[in-house]
Amino acid sequence: MILHLDTLSTLFLTVICLLMGIHLKKRIEWLQRFCIPSPVIGGFLVSLIIWGLKSFNLAEINFDTSLQTFLMVAFFTTIGIDGSFRILKSGGRLLFIYLFICWFVVIFQDTFGAGLAHLLGVDPVIGIMAGGVSLTGGHGGAAAFGGMAEGLGVQSATVAAIAAATFGLITGSLLGGPIATFLIKKFNVQIKADENVERVQVPETIAGKIESIDAHAFLKMLALVLGIMVIGQLASAQFTKATGFSLPSYVGAMIIAIVIRNINDQVELFRINQKSVDLISEVSLGLFLTMAMMSLKIWELKAVALPLFTILLAQVIILILLVVFVIFRLLGKNYDAAVMCAGLMGHGLGATPNAMANMSSVCERYKQVSMKAFMIVPLSGAVLIDLVGIPYHTWLINILS
């Protein structure tokens, strides 16, 4: 029996799965401990059920995921709106050091993954899926670039990327705290955070005076996001046509959003209601990722499972070595640096919530909060890393496809 769900039915099931994921995460402690995203929980359960039905020849379920691209572009547009260079400049020297480390890590992960995949005899793009796309990009990046790679003819890219992102989430959560503890003990680090913290100043035109969300404020931000999406889609199409280089619409939208955001920071054309933007971001990512997880073809993972695991294991080992022997020293070889290393293990292998959980765990153990770490790590790992990461993913996938 083959069951086809139309757009409305697929959207309804997506919302139900997302709500189920939120509910399960609240109820199951280990899901919270490893910071597993709610969309992954709900969507993955459905994909497991579909896999079981298909394996026993009971039913085959197909979804109309036409809304998935729209939701993905909306999410990446909100990422671009958050990309203010004014915030970057106000973050101080340590922010720049940490950010350049993040950019190096994501470029290295993609390049190393592609090279090792080639040596293992699999498509190098699968190696990219086990690189920065999923390890620093999380499940959102995995679903987005997996779809892009499959559109360019790379089979099993999405399922490989999602599997890599899940592996990274768990590994990053397990390793962050222990590595920070090792660094503190190994180098006899004094448990003292730098109290002279240069706080990131968010201009009024960026944060906006209106902190609450009402219909009018939300609609204005929705209009901004939709307008940028339209322009970004046109720009991506023209760029692809002119160069032959595949530029996904969500990358074009993100770039346009960054440009508009930074022009607005200078000339103050309008206020940005950050809570409305955050709400659009959260809802679009939640629905997009749930839909991507629901339609995941788990049975395709079998062909790339062993080389994928080999690449991921190598990525983890190399990041540990970089953190212990290089990055800790670059960040100052002090308590703040150790906490930031815990954060880097979290979002360098998983996602920003993992980084925050890792840093909280370290600070709780040593009863000393590192304000520097809690300001710099999420700003770099959640937003600014994409300024280099997403264009590099796009370029490398195009080159190797």
Side-chain angles (χ1 to χ4, degrees):
M1 179 178 69
I2 300 177
L3 179 63
H4 296 278
L5 297 185
D6 61 14
T7 304
L8 183 60
S9 301
T10 300
L11 180 60
F12 170 70
L13 184 59
T14 300
V15 174
I16 295 299
C17 287
L18 179 55
L19 291 172
M20 179 175 64
I22 294 171
H23 175 75
L24 290 174
K25 186 173 181 178
K26 288 180 179 178
R27 292 296 187 92
I28 302 175
E29 191 273 336
W30 68 267
L31 292 175
Q32 299 177 40
R33 185 169 70 249
F34 290 118
C35 303
I36 306 298
S38 300
V40 174
I41 299 168
F44 188 63
L45 284 176
V46 171
S47 66
L48 282 176
I49 293 171
I50 292 173
W51 182 28
L53 293 173
K54 180 180 175 65
S55 299
F56 290 101
N57 295 317
L58 296 175
E60 185 174 337
I61 302 176
N62 297 317
F63 299 110
D64 181 346
T65 58
S66 54
L67 285 176
Q68 189 172 318
T69 300
F70 168 81
L71 294 166
M72 176 174 59
V73 177
F75 168 67
F76 280 99
T77 300
T78 62
I79 293 295
I81 292 174
D82 286 338
S84 171
F85 295 149
R86 188 180 294 183
I87 298 177
L88 178 61
K89 287 191 294 184
S90 67
R93 178 174 173 270
L94 191 58
L95 171 61
F96 278 94
I97 293 173
Y98 188 82
L99 183 57
F100 276 103
I101 289 170
C102 291
W103 286 342
F104 169 79
V105 168
V106 70
I107 290 172
F108 175 83
Q109 286 176 334
D110 276 358
T111 308
F112 174 77
L116 185 53
H118 178 71
L119 292 176
L120 293 172
V122 297
D123 193 320
V125 177
I126 295 296
I128 301 174
M129 297 301 107
V133 161
S134 55
L135 297 181
T136 59
H139 285 86
F145 285 98
M148 173 190 171
E150 289 185 352
L152 293 172
V154 181
Q155 294 184 346
S156 306
T158 299
V159 69
I162 293 292
T166 304
F167 176 90
L169 272 178
I170 296 172
T171 308
S173 295
L174 289 173
L175 293 176
I179 285 177
T181 302
F182 167 79
L183 291 170
I184 290 169
K185 291 181 177 179
K186 172 72 175 177
F187 296 99
N188 296 315
V189 173
Q190 185 179 3
I191 309 302
K192 181 181 179 181
D194 187 355
E195 299 296 336
N196 184 25
V197 179
E198 182 181 354
R199 292 186 176 274
V200 176
Q201 298 297 319
V202 181
E204 189 178 281
T205 54
I206 294 175
K209 287 183 177 178
I210 304 173
E211 287 300 324
S212 60
I213 300 177
D214 57 30
H216 186 231
F218 179 80
L219 284 173
K220 286 196 293 185
M221 291 301 98
L222 182 60
L224 174 64
V225 170
L226 292 173
I228 292 172
M229 288 170 63
V230 171
I231 298 171
Q233 187 176 36
L234 293 173
S236 294
Q238 289 300 316
F239 182 87
T240 301
K241 183 179 179 180
T243 64
F245 183 90
S246 179
L247 185 71
S249 56
Y250 56 86
V251 177
M254 189 190 77
I255 294 171
I256 296 297
I258 292 171
V259 172
I260 291 176
R261 171 59 179 270
N262 286 281
I263 291 174
N264 187 64
D265 286 351
Q266 300 300 320
V267 299
E268 302 182 15
L269 294 172
F270 51 84
R271 296 189 185 280
I272 292 178
N273 185 296
Q274 194 60 48
K275 285 193 174 181
S276 295
V277 174
D278 290 343
L279 180 60
I280 295 170
S281 178
E282 184 177 350
V283 172
S284 59
L285 176 61
L287 293 176
F288 154 65
L289 189 50
T290 304
M291 197 174 291
M293 293 298 300
M294 283 167 40
S295 53
L296 199 63
K297 298 176 181 178
I298 299 176
W299 53 90
E300 293 182 354
L301 187 60
K302 183 179 179 181
V304 296
L306 183 58
L308 183 67
F309 177 75
T310 303
I311 296 169
L312 290 170
L313 185 60
Q315 295 274 25
V316 171
I317 292 171
I318 289 174
L319 185 58
I320 291 173
L321 294 175
L322 283 172
V323 166
V324 171
F325 293 106
V326 180
I327 294 173
F328 179 60
R329 290 170 169 80
L330 288 176
L331 293 175
K333 204 176 176 181
N334 53 23
Y335 179 71
D336 289 318
V339 177
M340 292 172 74
C341 284
L344 181 62
M345 290 301 301
H347 75 78
L349 292 175
T352 305
N354 298 75
M356 302 300 283
N358 286 351
M359 294 191 298
S360 296
S361 176
V362 174
C363 293
E364 183 179 347
R365 172 170 181 172
Y366 291 101
K367 296 179 172 56
Q368 176 66 59
V369 176
S370 170
M371 290 303 299
K372 275 190 174 182
F374 277 95
M375 287 195 306
I376 290 172
V377 171
L379 181 61
S380 301
V383 180
L384 299 176
I385 192 172
D386 289 334
L387 299 180
V388 168
I390 288 178
Y392 188 73
H393 301 328
T394 304
W395 175 79
L396 195 59
I397 291 171
N398 272 276
I399 291 297
L400 296 177
S401 295

